[in-house]
Amino acid sequence: MPNEPALAPWRDFLAGARARYAQPVALESRGTLSRLTGLVLEASGLRVPVGAQCHVQMPHQEPVLAEVVGFAGEKAFLMPAGDIQGLSSGAVVTPAPAFVPAPRFGEPVAEVSLATGMLRLPMGDGLLGRVVDSQGIPLDHAGPVTDVTAEPMDRRQINAMDRDPVREPLDTGVRALNALLSVGRGQRLGLFAGSGVGKSVLLGMMARYTKADVIVVGLIGERGREVKEFVEDILGAEDRGRAVVVAAPADAPPLLRMQGAAYATAIAEHFRDKGQHVLLLMDSLTRYAMAQREIALAIGEPPATKGYPPSCFAKLPQLVERSGNGLNGVGSITAFYTVLSEGDDQQDPIADAARAILDGHIVLSRALAETGHFPAIDIEQSASRVMHNVVTREHFDLARRFRAVYSRYQKSRDLIQVGAYVAGSDPQIDEAVKLQPVMASFLQQNMFEAASMDESVSGMAALLGQ
């Protein structure tokens, strides 16, 4: 006679599995590929909502994944997420099946909707320490992702009155930021710079030294070689166990680049909703906007500013506003977004739009980088909009005095360098000249060196003679 207590877990597991797969499934909608122009696929007879995932199938070929991005009458417009080589008119277009994690014995069977089409990707603790692509597929050759659930990408917006204001300081390990551009937990900042000025290196320093429960890194539209370098050289074995890396490199289709940014943000939201403090690093917000530009122009949206259609400027706040403090102070997402300023132009339309919706901007200067000054943070052009809420009055006054002395030297530098300034003419300029070497040294930091908040503030106070 079988042992009844021993059989009980099996009965519960089988009952949960039967209930999971006994849900009614709607009749499948099916369409036909009628046109392919540039990046856009047109399908006739397909009735699925915008955002639905579909398979485009040719006989004896692997299906191509695509997402519905618009429609006109009876025609649906789709953007492919894979190689469209080999597709032809008449290909069958069907909604893609939903992602369903494999049930595991001994764990409760999660209830998920088996509705086809709408995007659901893996979320959960099983992603920690893993490198995945925009669809949740592992890239690190460490086997399938387990201990995850299928969750939708679209989440309800948090009421602005239900969010706690940014009040708690966050130690980033970067001296210039801790002392002069103090960051608050739940703040959203942008790193603004042209190419090759050190944005990725600064992101890596913050990933290594910032105090957070979980780190989510979104490498969106950047060089593919940076993925492995970031994981192995910057995160390393010590921090990799608490990090999730979502990679959608430059050669990925625009749909996957946008989806990668949304997926990284959704993962951060998942951990925030569990009450954890998350550090979200996204490189870069500009590549996300460029991917949206490619899609919008391909389906016929008119360009507005420098080729960017209006939908690009609408998508940016929708993505950025998902980070921040959670409901009633439970959990937080502190986010850093890199913003590529084309030709070092700080008035680039995407840079200008991002500056308006973020809680601060850190500008990296090419002139400083060319002199070997790293991190090349331009203190005069940078600002943290919540610094006055997260630091003491003494700290804020020290930072303001440091900025004043530093700016005074920069404005008089040309006169000093050509010998036109006579020492003793202005006591304030004399002080700036005297302190300039130690100020420049204070603002520089090796990428393998950490500087705590207390060390940064005490160093600034000693420098100013306080």
Side-chain angles (χ1 to χ4, degrees), residues 398-466:
L398 281 173
R400 185 168 57 182
R401 186 184 167 202
F402 186 106
R403 280 175 170 271
V405 176
Y406 185 84
S407 178
R408 194 174 298 126
Y409 176 85
Q410 298 300 323
K411 291 178 179 177
S412 306
R413 185 175 56 181
D414 291 341
L415 291 175
I416 296 169
Q417 289 179 341
V418 300
Y421 174 74
V422 178
S425 302
D426 188 330
Q428 292 183 333
I429 295 180
D430 291 341
E431 180 191 26
V433 172
K434 177 183 176 182
L435 293 178
Q436 174 59 25
V438 288
M439 281 185 163
S441 177
F442 177 82
L443 295 175
Q444 296 182 58
Q445 185 175 339
N446 188 287
M447 65 178 294
F448 300 107
E449 167 198 356
S452 70
M453 177 73 77
D454 292 339
E455 292 171 349
S456 302
V457 177
S458 61
M460 179 170 61
L463 184 152
L464 295 173
Q466 297 291 320

Side-chain angles (χ1 to χ4, degrees), residues 51-389:
Q53 306 287 297
C54 296
H55 279 153
V56 185
Q57 179 74 64
M58 288 288 293
H60 313 298
Q61 288 188 14
E62 288 292 321
V64 176
L65 184 66
E67 180 177 314
V68 178
V69 294
F71 58 86
E74 297 297 320
K75 293 184 177 181
F77 301 140
L78 301 95
M79 290 295 296
D83 188 7
I84 60 176
Q85 191 71 26
L87 293 182
S88 65
S89 179
V92 178
V93 184
T94 56
F99 169 79
V100 180
R104 302 177 68 188
F105 178 69
E107 297 180 359
V109 179
E111 294 183 5
V112 297
S113 171
L114 296 181
T116 58
M118 298 313 294
L119 182 62
R120 290 175 176 268
L121 292 178
M123 303 278 182
D125 292 343
L127 290 172
L128 293 174
R130 304 301 302 269
V131 182
V132 297
D133 67 4
S134 303
Q135 298 168 294
I137 300 172
L139 300 175
D140 51 10
H141 308 294
V145 176
T146 58
D147 191 20
V148 292
T149 58
E151 297 185 16
M153 292 294 95
D154 295 329
R155 294 170 177 260
R156 290 189 61 184
Q157 294 180 350
I158 298 179
N159 187 328
M161 294 301 294
D162 292 334
R163 288 184 188 264
D164 274 5
V166 180
R167 291 286 187 266
E168 183 182 349
L170 182 67
D171 189 347
T172 63
V174 181
R175 189 162 45 242
L177 300 185
N178 285 342
L180 299 165
L181 301 166
S182 301
V183 177
R185 194 178 294 279
Q187 188 177 359
R188 300 159 300 192
L189 292 102
L191 299 181
F192 293 75
S195 57
V197 183
K199 298 187 301 298
S200 299
V201 173
L202 184 55
L203 272 188
M205 292 176 67
M206 289 186 286
R208 188 184 295 114
Y209 304 129
T210 300
K211 295 178 180 178
D213 299 323
V214 176
I215 302 170
V216 180
V217 182
L219 301 177
I220 310 302
E222 297 298 320
R223 295 176 290 274
R225 70 167 179 81
E226 290 185 344
V227 177
K228 193 170 185 178
E229 290 181 3
F230 196 98
V231 172
E232 295 183 354
D233 300 340
I234 295 178
L235 283 180
E238 182 178 348
D239 293 318
R240 185 172 176 181
R242 63 185 179 116
V244 183
V245 179
V246 179
D251 59 346
L255 177 66
L256 291 187
R257 279 177 265 148
M258 289 196 64
Q259 187 172 303
Y263 187 29
T265 305
I267 293 172
E269 289 175 310
H270 171 86
F271 287 108
R272 176 189 63 189
D273 294 344
K274 292 172 64 177
Q276 295 179 294
H277 297 298
V278 183
L279 175 65
L280 173 62
L281 307 174
M282 190 169 295
D283 188 11
S284 70
L285 196 63
T286 304
R287 305 298 185 193
Y288 170 82
M290 288 180 174
Q292 170 61 20
R293 176 173 65 179
E294 291 179 43
I295 293 174
L297 293 178
I299 63 176
E301 188 177 349
T305 307
K306 286 194 175 181
Y308 287 98
S311 63
C312 290
F313 303 100
K315 287 282 187 182
L316 289 177
Q318 291 175 9
L319 180 72
V320 169
E321 283 294 325
R322 292 169 62 180
S323 56
N325 286 328
L327 284 169
N328 302 313
V330 177
S332 67
I333 301 175
T334 306
F336 289 89
Y337 302 91
T338 66
V339 181
L340 180 64
S341 304
E342 296 184 6
D344 297 316
D345 179 13
Q346 296 302 319
Q347 304 308 315
D348 177 84
I350 297 301
D352 198 44
R355 191 183 295 106
I357 60 177
L358 293 170
D359 301 325
H361 49 277
I362 301 167
V363 179
L364 302 186
S365 165
R366 187 175 299 277
L368 288 175
E370 289 172 348
T371 63
H373 185 292
F374 288 102
I377 299 174
D378 190 328
I379 297 300
E380 293 181 287
Q381 295 192 53
S382 304
S384 172
R385 298 181 182 176
V386 303
M387 181 175 176
H388 62 284
N389 290 330

